[in-house]
Amino acid sequence: SQQGEEDPQALSIQEGENATMNCSYKTSINNLQWYRQNSGRGLVHLILIRSNEREKHSGRLRVTLDTSKKSSSLLITASRAADTASYFCATGKGADKLIFGTGTRLQVFP
Amino acid sequence: KAGVTQTPRYLIKTRGQQVTLSCSPISGHRSVSWYQQTPGQGLQFLFEYFSETQRNKGNFPGRFSGRQFSNSRSEMNVSTLELGDSALYLCASSRGTGDGTEAFFGQGTRLTVV
């Protein structure tokens, strides 16, 4: 079963625009991770945010976490065509037994 | 350093057959986890091995099994294949030392059962 839902399920934007994806989860967590998956391929780890953190940045990525609302958001700024992929949030203890959300399919048009 | 390697990349099997998938983790990583990805169920955790011992198991039938060798390489086996087993099977490796440990994924094995 999935830990949570991601919203929106699909997102289409133009290059240069920002993309925001949201993730909600059900149980209390120690940390939350975001992954990217290019079509039918493996997952690439983007960022991990711990439960005692509220915001984290990595390059063009900004992740927020609101444990009171059991939600997280991923913001990609100044998007590029190469950002086209599916994005998943995942919760779990470290890398073991990750529980993934349903994913957001992002399409960035040149 | 080399990433997580999964073999084979693609596989076609017939219902009722069995299949073995292989995963070589990143050097020094002792934890290997397996996930199944399907359009209907999304990404689901199968099991995790650490130092040759199964440490966690997901909610899958006993037809799905795995093992880990002393060099941390892992195999998963699916017996009596069903059409619904068609999926992308992903392997992830990590140091396995606890909370906040990043998982590195392989490219996956796409299994098609006909």
Side-chain angles (χ1 to χ4, degrees):
Chain A
S1 63
Q2 311 239 222
Q3 163 72 292
E5 300 290 323
E6 289 180 63
D7 170 58
Q9 287 190 352
L11 181 60
S12 295
I13 58 175
Q14 296 289 132
E15 262 191 335
E17 294 182 336
N18 295 341
T20 299
M21 292 158 255
N22 303 295
C23 163
S24 61
Y25 55 92
K26 298 174 184 173
T27 61
S28 59
I29 61 171
N30 293 330
N31 62 67
L32 185 143
Q33 304 183 55
W34 284 89
Y35 286 85
R36 184 186 75 225
Q37 183 180 38
N38 291 86
S39 180
R41 307 191 71 182
L43 294 159
V44 175
H45 185 269
L46 295 176
I47 198 165
L48 179 150
I49 186 166
R50 300 183 191 280
S51 60
N52 62 353
E53 298 176 309
R54 291 295 168 259
E55 188 171 311
K56 200 161 182 181
H57 296 253
S58 176
R60 294 183 297 112
L61 307 179
R62 172 179 166 250
V63 168
T64 61
L65 179 64
D66 187 337
T67 52
S68 67
K69 295 181 179 177
K70 291 187 169 59
S71 68
S72 175
S73 68
L74 170 67
L75 168 67
I76 304 174
T77 60
S79 62
R80 306 165 182 168
D83 294 327
T84 294
S86 291
Y87 292 81
F88 296 89
C89 65
T91 58
K93 181 171 184 260
D96 323 326
K97 200 176 180 180
L98 290 171
I99 302 175
F100 286 87
T102 51
T104 293
R105 290 189 310 277
L106 173 65
Q107 175 80 53
V108 181
F109 292 99
Chain B
K1 64 185 174 184
V4 178
T5 303
Q6 290 189 247
T7 56
R9 288 291 311 278
Y10 302 92
L11 206 49
I12 300 175
K13 288 286 189 177
T14 305
R15 268 183 306 176
Q17 288 186 315
Q18 74 165 21
V19 67
T20 299
L21 312 182
S22 179
C23 173
S24 293
I26 291 172
S27 177
H29 284 190
R30 295 164 65 189
S31 171
V32 174
S33 300
W34 289 89
Y35 295 84
Q36 181 197 63
Q37 185 177 28
T38 60
Q41 298 297 316
L43 279 154
Q44 293 191 288
F45 171 76
L46 280 157
F47 28 65
E48 184 243 351
Y49 287 86
F50 182 83
S51 293
E52 302 180 65
T53 301
Q54 188 181 86
R55 203 162 59 167
N56 288 296
K57 190 177 190 305
N59 189 26
F60 277 81
R63 299 185 298 107
F64 291 82
S65 63
R67 60 178 175 168
Q68 186 180 34
F69 302 95
S70 59
N71 62 358
S72 293
R73 189 177 70 86
S74 178
E75 290 180 346
M76 69 163 280
N77 184 276
V78 187
S79 62
T80 320
L81 284 165
E82 301 176 0
L83 295 179
D85 297 333
S86 294
L88 181 66
Y89 290 88
L90 293 163
C91 160
S93 83
S94 74
R95 291 193 310 274
T97 53
D99 204 15
T101 306
E102 180 180 340
F104 295 84
F105 282 80
Q107 291 298 301
T109 294
R110 183 163 297 281
L111 171 66
T112 302
V113 182
V114 297

